[in-house]
Structures are given as structure tokens and as C-alpha cells.
């Protein structure tokens, strides 16, 4: 009997101790040197682990983004009915009002980014084209007159200079380091409602063949971009400007989640040339071409390979003087492979006028090398 009582006492004590230990581990794990939920080491945030708020990034970038108001005077064509009564016998009644040209003042609204201590503002060419008066409005309420330093229709970049001191200058990022999935924000003045920030991700990089501009290398984003955002900033998660918003794909006029921005590095290159030379100087050969596709190669009876098929050569142009002919297949420029029409265009445009350019071509099934002296790309008529 005594043995039974001793055994019962020991069993009860052990059970009580185990229960108490379980409660301590459950309620106060730190007393035994273990934090709840796993290891005690530092938690490392990966590239994909962003902050809860981007307010700091926005506050750094917003002061340098301005509203751009451009005023244009456009001539109105007379109403067809007025032309019917343009009779000399009626002039005593109406005077010269029928034949006198009429002009209409048009205002366009967009955005811009201050990128230099000298007051240089990057914006879109389509926003200020033909403007007779331009005003930029800063976030602090200042309304400053601005002049057009120059523009480049082939990239849709324009450079303004605002007249004012102590202007907030944007911090510029490295657009070539952007990756699909990176968080970006668009800042501008959509529909004139006031400065607005929208957020999304980089949907794609290097977009081209869209027919928006001649030199295309767009950043695609799903951050909402609407009319009035043109020329505004596309910023990264730390508030650096990585692009200039320029276009959207839309059927309704509003954002459908497909917007395009010009990489800031391309915009900087254009601005540098405009400030230094008053225009963008690009190389030119005076040729046209198209990508060689398997179907095109089959129709021409030639073997398919990567390259650009020359479809036209301007008489007495740099390409013509170098001996290029329609039907030649350009496969290399300066010993670098050429795989797309946009790549060929950029490679030629990047050469200084007067410099030599080596082209490896295939003609009649044999490869040969031609050397061309690059000319200067002429300005686009009407643009």
C-alpha cells in the first residue's frame, strides 16, 4: 500500500511539472531563450521585399515635377457657308469679316521635370510643339515663364528653361538597371485635377516598333498614366526619376494599364545635345530596310539568317556612295551582329557624322565588307 502511494505521488509530481513546463513554453518562450515563430537571427529583406509606404520616395521627387501650360494660336478655316456668301456685293454689309482670317487660342496641359540647376525642364515635344507661350507651375505655387531650348520629335523629348532661382532638382536614377517587376510611380497632373501619384510595376523594358516615335526604347508600366501626365516623372521606389511619361494605349482616352515612358538616360543624352548644339546630331546612311523573316527569305529564295534586308538606297547618299544596293543583307555593323531594324537605326544614329562605319553584308550568297562615311541625319519635315 505504501509503495502504491509513493508511485502515485511521483507520477502526480512529474505530470504537474510537465504541464507547468508546457505552459511556460507556450506563454513565455523568451524565458527559455527562444522567441516565438522561429529563429532569433536578423531578418534580411530581399529585393522583392519593399516598404509598407512609399511616402518618402514621393516626397523626394514631387517638388521637382511641374505643371506645364502651353498656349498655341491656331488659324481657323472659315465655315463653308461663309464662303458661299463671299460676294463683293455683300462686303458693304459685312465688311472684311468674311474673308478675314480668324485665330483661336488653344491651351494644352502637361507635366515636366526639373533636372538641372540652370532651370532645365524635361517634357514631351508633342506637348509644347507650336507653343507661343509656356508657363511652368511648381508645387510651392510659383508660376514661372519658360522658353523652349530645343526639341527632338524623333524621341518626343523637349527641353525648357524656367526663369527662376532655387529650383528643386530631381534625383536621376539609372534606367538601364530597371527590371520587370520593379515598383515605379508616375507623377503628373492628369486631366488638370492637380498633382497626382499613381503606382504600378515595370511591365516590360525596351519596347519598340510601337509607331509612337522613330527611336523607341520605352519602359512599359501599369502605373496609371492619363492625359496631363505627359512629360511627368516615372520614379523608382527610392524617389529617383527613371523615365519621362509620354504615351498610353487606350480606347477610351483613359488609362488601361499600358503606359510608356522614355528612359531617363535616353532623355539625358537628348538634352545634352540640345543644350550644346541646339539640336540632336545623329548619324545617317540614307538607306531603308526591314527585318529578314523566314517567310521573306523563302519568297526571295535565300537562306534565312538574322539581318536587315536593304529595301531602298537614297541616290548619292552615304550608303549609295559606300556601294550598298537594294537586296543586300546587313548582318554586322562595326563587327557587331545586327538582329533588328531598331538596332540598326540606333547603331547608325549613334555614329558621329563624318566617321567611318564598317558594314558586313551578304550579297549573292557571299559575305563582304563595305565602309561608309556617315552623314548627318536630316531633320524631319513638318516635325
Amino acid at each position: 500500500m505504501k509503495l502504491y502511494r509513493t508511485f502515485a505521488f511521483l507520477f502526480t509530481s512529474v505530470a504537474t511539472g510537465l504541464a507547468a513546463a508546457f505552459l511556460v513554453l507556450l506563454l513565455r518562450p523568451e524565458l527559455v531563450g527562444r522567441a516565438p515563430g522561429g529563429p532569433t537571427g536578423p531578418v534580411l529583406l530581399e529585393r522583392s521585399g519593399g516598404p509598407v509606404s512609399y511616402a518618402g520616395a514621393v516626397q523626394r521627387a514631387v517638388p521637382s515635377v511641374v505643371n506645364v501650360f502651353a498656349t498655341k494660336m491656331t488659324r481657323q478655316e472659315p465655315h463653308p457657308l461663309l464662303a458661299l456668301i463671299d460676294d463683293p456685293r455683300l462686303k458693304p454689309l459685312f465688311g472684311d469679316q468674311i474673308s478675314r482670317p480668324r485665330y483661336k487660342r488653344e491651351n494644352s496641359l502637361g507635366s515636366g521635370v526639373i533636372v538641372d540647376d540652370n532651370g532645365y525642364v524635361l517634357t514631351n515635344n508633342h506637348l509644347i510643339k507650336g507653343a507661343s507661350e509656356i508657363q511652368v507651375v511648381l508645387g510651392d505655387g510659383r508660376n514661372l515663364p519658360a522658353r523652349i531650348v530645343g526639341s527632338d520629335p524623333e524621341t518626343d523629348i523637349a527641353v525648357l528653361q524656367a526663369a527662376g532661382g532655387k529650383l528643386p532638382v530631381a534625383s536621376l536614377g539609372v534606367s538601364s538597371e530597371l527590371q520587370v517587376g520593379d515598383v515605379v510611380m508616375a507623377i503628373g497632373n492628369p486631366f488638370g485635377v492637380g498633382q497626382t501619384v499613381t503606382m504600378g510595376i515595370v511591365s516590360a523594358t525596351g519596347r519598340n516598333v510601337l509607331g509612337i516615335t522613330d527611336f523607341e526604347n520605352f519602359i512599359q508600366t501599369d502605373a496609371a498614366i492619363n492625359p496631363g501626365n505627359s512629360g511627368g516623372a516615372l520614379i523608382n521606389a527610392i524617389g529617383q526619376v527613371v523615365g519621362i511619361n509620354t504615351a498610353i494605349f487606350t480606347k477610351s482616352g483613359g488609362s488601361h494599364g499600358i503606359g510608356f515612358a522614355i528612359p531617363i538616360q535616353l532623355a539625358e543624352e537628348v538634352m545634352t545635345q540640345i543644350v550644346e548644339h541646339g539640336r540632336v546630331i545623329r548619324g545617317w546612311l540614307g538607306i531603308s530596310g526591314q527585318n529578314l523573316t523566314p517567310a521573306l527569305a523563302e519568297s526571295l529564295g535565300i537562306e534565312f539568317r538574322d539581318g536587315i534586308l536593304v529595301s531602298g538606297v537614297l541616290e548619292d547618299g552615304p550608303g549609295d556612295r559606300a556601294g550598298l544596293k537594294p537586296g543586300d543583307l546587313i548582318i554586322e555593323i562595326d563587327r557587331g551582329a545586327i538582329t533588328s531594324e531598331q538596332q540598326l537605326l540606333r547603331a547608325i544614329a549613334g555614329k558621329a557624322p563624318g566617321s567611318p562605319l564598317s558594314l558586313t553584308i551578304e550579297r549573292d550568297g557571299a559575305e563582304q565588307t563595305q565602309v561608309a562615311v556617315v552623314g548627318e541625319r536630316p531633320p524631319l519635315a513638318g516635325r
Side-chain angles (χ1 to χ4, degrees):
M1 188 70 177
K2 291 181 179 180
L3 181 62
Y4 172 77
R5 289 178 179 176
T6 302
F7 178 77
F9 174 77
L10 291 174
F11 178 79
T12 303
S13 300
V14 171
T16 302
L18 290 174
F22 175 77
L23 289 174
V24 170
L25 287 172
L26 181 65
L27 301 177
R28 300 292 299 275
E30 67 274 10
L31 295 179
V32 292
R34 203 181 72 155
T40 59
V43 178
L44 300 178
L45 291 177
E46 299 178 358
R47 177 185 175 89
S48 59
V52 175
S53 172
Y54 295 95
V58 171
Q59 290 168 6
R60 284 190 288 272
V62 156
S64 63
V65 181
V66 299
N67 297 336
V68 177
F69 296 89
T71 301
K72 309 174 185 179
M73 299 299 294
T74 59
R75 180 169 177 168
Q76 289 184 297
E77 295 296 328
H79 194 279
L81 291 178
L82 293 179
L84 295 177
I85 62 174
D86 189 11
D87 191 303
R89 293 171 295 180
L90 298 177
K91 283 193 176 181
L93 297 176
F94 296 96
D96 294 331
Q97 294 182 12
I98 297 176
S99 58
R100 184 183 303 166
R102 295 187 178 185
Y103 293 90
K104 179 181 178 182
R105 179 187 292 267
E106 294 183 351
N107 297 315
S108 60
L109 172 66
S111 305
V113 185
I114 302 171
V115 294
D116 187 90
D117 290 325
N118 293 316
Y120 291 126
V121 177
L122 282 174
T123 187
N124 286 143
N125 173 68
H126 74 260
L127 175 65
I128 56 85
K129 180 184 176 183
S132 57
E133 182 183 349
I134 299 175
Q135 298 282 329
V136 298
V137 180
L138 278 66
D140 59 13
R142 282 184 288 172
N143 190 326
L144 306 176
R147 71 179 183 94
I148 300 175
V149 180
S151 61
D152 180 41
E154 295 191 288
T155 56
D156 199 24
I157 285 290
V159 181
L160 310 177
Q161 188 173 31
K166 296 183 179 179
L167 300 178
V169 177
S171 173
L172 305 184
V174 183
S175 51
S176 60
E177 294 181 356
L178 284 177
Q179 298 183 32
V180 174
D182 282 352
V183 170
V184 287
M185 288 158 278
I187 307 177
N189 185 11
F191 298 108
V193 300
Q195 198 168 71
T196 302
V197 181
T198 56
M199 189 186 80
I201 62 169
V202 174
S203 305
T205 59
R207 287 294 196 209
N208 54 42
V209 199
L210 300 174
I212 300 173
T213 60
D214 294 305
F215 292 89
E216 298 182 335
N217 186 26
F218 290 113
I219 302 164
Q220 181 182 329
T221 177
D222 64 345
I225 297 175
N226 289 289
N229 275 112
S230 290
L234 186 72
I235 68 171
N236 61 19
I238 59 175
Q240 296 173 325
V241 178
V242 292
I244 302 297
N245 302 320
T246 191
I248 56 174
F249 269 170
T250 178
K251 294 182 178 179
S252 64
S255 173
H256 289 334
I258 303 179
F260 301 100
I262 301 166
I264 193 62
Q265 286 171 276
L266 174 58
E268 281 186 282
E269 293 169 4
V270 170
M271 184 183 75
T272 299
Q273 290 219 42
I274 287 176
V275 171
E276 291 181 356
H277 308 292
R279 68 188 193 284
V280 179
I281 299 175
R282 295 187 173 97
W284 176 70
L285 286 185
I287 63 173
S288 58
Q290 63 187 105
N291 296 342
L292 183 65
T293 63
L296 182 58
E298 183 178 359
S299 67
L300 296 173
I302 60 177
E303 184 179 351
F304 170 73
R305 64 183 301 182
D306 287 333
I308 304 301
L309 186 69
V310 177
S311 56
V313 179
L314 181 66
E315 185 178 356
D316 201 33
D320 184 32
R321 291 193 292 268
L324 293 179
K325 299 178 180 180
D328 288 344
L329 182 67
I330 301 175
I331 54 179
E332 289 184 352
I333 283 188
D334 286 342
R335 298 186 179 181
I338 295 295
T339 59
S340 71
E341 187 179 352
Q342 277 288 320
Q343 184 188 5
L344 174 68
L345 183 63
R346 289 195 295 267
I348 296 172
K351 299 289 288 187
S355 62
L357 181 67
S358 173
L359 300 106
T360 302
I361 65 171
E362 182 181 291
R363 179 186 296 170
D364 299 328
E367 290 187 11
Q368 56 182 279
T369 299
Q370 309 281 79
V371 177
V373 177
V374 177
E376 182 177 343
R377 185 176 176 87
L380 296 178
R383 292 172 67 182

